[in-house]
Amino acid sequence: MIAEDIIIKPALSEKSTLGVNDKKYVFYVDPRADKTQIKAAVEKAFGVEVESVHTVNVRGKQKRRNGGPKGYTAKRKKAYVKLTAASKAIAFFDTLS
């Protein structure tokens, strides 16, 4: 897999933007990607140095439409990425804080 296939999109929420000042970022990633692939993809895509990667598999939420049968939203995988102190910040997230 290449970097563009691994990183799907940044997870933009109030909680995820709190870590931007500490160089901690959250991304939705391909569920098949492991930590080393995620680290390499972030380093290649943004030109930064990654210190650590933590991943979380997020279950789909249960939904019901108009009282009909139950269904689930798609399951996802989140990656919490922390950059090294010497690394530059990711420019995209600078506009959020």
Side-chain angles (χ1 to χ4, degrees), residues 50-78:
V50 175
E51 181 179 321
S52 64
V53 176
H54 299 284
T55 58
V56 177
N57 288 312
V58 181
R59 291 187 312 198
K61 292 183 179 180
Q62 188 179 37
K63 296 289 181 177
R64 181 178 286 191
R65 300 182 88 191
N66 299 329
K70 296 177 192 173
Y72 291 90
T73 60
K75 60 183 180 179
R76 304 184 201 191
K77 186 173 191 176
K78 279 189 198 177

Side-chain angles (χ1 to χ4, degrees), residues 29-42:
V29 295
D30 189 303
R32 298 168 294 177
D34 60 8
K35 291 181 182 185
T36 55
Q37 291 174 330
I38 295 168
K39 178 180 177 179
V42 171

Side-chain angles (χ1 to χ4, degrees), residues 5-6 11 26 37 41 55 64 89 97:
D5 293 336
I6 293 174
V26 184
Q37 291 174 330
T55 58
R64 181 178 286 191
S97 58

Side-chain angles (χ1 to χ4, degrees), residues 6-27:
I6 293 174
I7 301 171
I8 297 173
K9 65 180 181 178
L12 300 176
S13 66
E14 186 175 354
K15 184 176 179 181
S16 68
T17 55
L18 292 175
V20 171
N21 294 332
D22 298 329
K23 296 184 180 178
K24 296 178 184 177
Y25 304 100
V26 184
F27 297 98

Side-chain angles (χ1 to χ4, degrees), residues 76-96:
R76 304 184 201 191
K77 186 173 191 176
K78 279 189 198 177
Y80 293 85
V81 178
K82 181 175 180 175
L83 304 182
T84 60
S87 178
K88 64 177 182 157
I90 297 176
F92 171 78
F93 291 95
D94 288 340
T95 60
L96 301 176

